[in-house]
Amino acid sequence: DFAAATPFEFAELASASKLLSGFGIEAGAIMRTLKMLGDIASGTSTDIKGLAMIFGQVSAAGRLMREDMNQLTERGVPILQALADHFGVAKDAVRGMVEAGKVSFKDFSAAMESLTADGGKFHGMMEKQGQTLHGLF
């Protein structure tokens, strides 16, 4: 049902779900995480599996690493701004926090969720893209 209501193929979602599960994301949180990642993927025109991989890597490490932050930025995910808003600091300060290992998975996850919450840049993007001709196909 979830796949039918999104612009993603069932195989893409199943693959992303397996990745998240393999990284230890709890079964009860996988659908919520897929929705969040799907909204971001729809808004950035990137693949959901790649986002799931990065999200899982951060989860497994317990903190955000510079490489993961750079990969998200390259995909058009404004993670620096989301973290700056989360911590109430400038974007430049976030870079230092990441380098110092001070951005936990919990903080990273909250910042990602803020991008898809009410008023967030990617709120409801899967649904919006699912209503386009491409999404309907």
Side-chain angles (χ1 to χ4, degrees):
D1 289 342
F2 179 72
T6 72
F8 300 106
E9 297 289 329
F10 177 78
E12 290 175 286
L13 294 172
S15 181
S17 177
K18 285 180 189 177
L19 269 173
L20 292 170
S21 180
F23 277 112
I25 303 297
E26 295 178 18
I30 287 180
M31 286 305 294
R32 184 181 77 246
T33 304
L34 279 177
K35 182 178 179 341
M36 174 190 64
L37 296 176
D39 280 341
I40 294 170
S42 292
T44 59
S45 298
T46 193
D47 68 299
I48 192 169
K49 186 177 176 184
L51 290 179
M53 176 69 80
I54 296 167
F55 191 85
Q57 289 170 342
V58 176
S59 172
R63 65 186 178 100
L64 180 63
M65 307 285 226
R66 182 175 42 120
E67 181 179 336
D68 298 318
M69 181 180 65
N70 290 342
Q71 287 181 33
L72 288 168
T73 302
E74 289 166 2
R75 286 174 167 79
V77 179
I79 192 62
L80 280 173
Q81 186 61 56
L83 286 166
D85 293 344
H86 174 75
F87 288 116
V89 299
K91 289 190 324 186
D92 289 339
V94 171
R95 291 183 194 279
M97 293 170 73
V98 170
E99 290 295 328
K102 294 183 178 180
V103 179
S104 70
F105 173 70
K106 182 179 176 182
D107 292 318
F108 166 74
S109 184
M112 290 285 282
E113 288 174 15
S114 75
L115 293 171
T116 61
D118 285 341
K121 182 173 183 164
F122 302 116
H123 177 70
M125 288 302 290
M126 270 192 308
E127 185 177 327
K128 290 174 190 169
Q129 189 179 35
Q131 298 304 312
T132 66
L133 184 59
H134 174 72
L136 292 171
F137 280 125

